[in-house]
């Protein structure tokens, strides 16, 4: 029923890029959590989350991003979010998470 | 649309699978009302946040919850109902801070806790550009 959430992972050498496309809501959030946390735990490099094709995210998804950022910091790694659409960037601003994440 | 209020109701099971259906419905309604795309996206997020919370709480007695969209000429009123009286005041500031913040910021009027027979009520007014 939900627009699927799709993942594409690329190794860029000094970082890993995870491209998200589709929607993150209560239906797809568990999948995001598993993928994102696994990548943070498995890689010793920085993480770039490419959101150019992400159409929707809710507070569940934002919470997972926060959890992944905490994990990344524990491993002394950076996490950067790129390509946010205006409607999603607005949610980061509303919640103050634009000050927490590095958004490019 | 006329001056009378049109009522659209949708009943969904307590399953995450169908939350997107609530977004789809409100998207169509808001589009008919004349909201711009950015505002429609905002309303979809607010509607969905409440659905997600209701689904996460769930119920052992009720089969689902009902969203009632009341469409006036320039105002969309949305109320959530459920037969299970234990589903009341479901948002906790401590646990659901992000969701509460988002809903309050995106809608014009929000009632997350009340003594009435509904769970949550909120509304959005269509701004006319002069």
């Amino acid at each position: 029923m939900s627009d699927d959430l799709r993942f594409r992972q690329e190794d860029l050498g000094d970082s890993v890029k995870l491209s998200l496309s589709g929607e993150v809501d209560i239906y797809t959030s568990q999948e995001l959590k598993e993928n994102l946390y696994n990548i943070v735990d498995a890689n010793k490099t920085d993480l770039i989350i490419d959101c150019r094709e992400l159409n929707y995210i809710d507070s569940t998804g934002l919470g997972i991003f926060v959890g992944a950022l905490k994990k990344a910091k524990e491993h002394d790694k950076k996490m950067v979010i790129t390509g946010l659409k205006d409607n999603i960037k607005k949610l980061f601003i509303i919640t103050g998470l634009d000050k927490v994440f590095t958004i490019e | 649309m006329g001056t009378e209020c049109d009522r659209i109701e949708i009943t969904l099971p307590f399953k995450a699978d169908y939350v997107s259906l609530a977004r789809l419905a409100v998207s169509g309604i808001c589009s008919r009302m004349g909201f711009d795309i950015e505002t429609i996206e905002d309303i979809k997020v607010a509607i969905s946040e409440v659905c997600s919370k209701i689904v996460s709480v769930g119920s052992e007695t009720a089969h689902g919850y009902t969203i009632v969209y009341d469409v006036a000429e320039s105002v969309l009123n949305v109320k959530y109902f459920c037969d299970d009286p234990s589903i009341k005041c479901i948002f906790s500031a401590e646990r659901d801070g992000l969701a509460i913040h988002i809903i309050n910021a995106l809608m014009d009027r929000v009632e997350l806790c009340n003594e009435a027979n509904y769970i949550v009520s909120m509304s959005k007014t269509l701004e006319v550009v002069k």
Side-chain angles (χ1 to χ4, degrees), chain B residues 27-44:
Chain B
S27 178
I29 292 165
C30 290
S31 179
R32 285 277 168 134
M33 289 179 73
F35 282 103
D36 58 65
I37 290 170
E38 187 186 334
T39 309
I40 292 173
E41 288 300 321
D42 292 348
I43 297 169
K44 279 167 64 181

Side-chain angles (χ1 to χ4, degrees), chain A residues 1 23 25 56 59 90 94, chain B residues 17 23 42 48-49 101:
Chain A
M1 194 62 67
E23 298 188 342
D25 69 358
Y56 178 86
S59 63
K90 186 174 183 177
I94 285 170
Chain B
D17 315 44
R23 291 201 294 275
D42 292 348
S48 193
E49 288 289 350
H101 217 71

Side-chain angles (χ1 to χ4, degrees), chain B residues 40-61:
Chain B
I40 292 173
E41 288 300 321
D42 292 348
I43 297 169
K44 279 167 64 181
V45 172
I47 295 291
S48 193
E49 288 289 350
V50 178
C51 292
S52 298
K53 187 61 196 173
I54 292 174
V55 166
S56 70
V57 171
S59 170
E60 289 182 3
T61 56

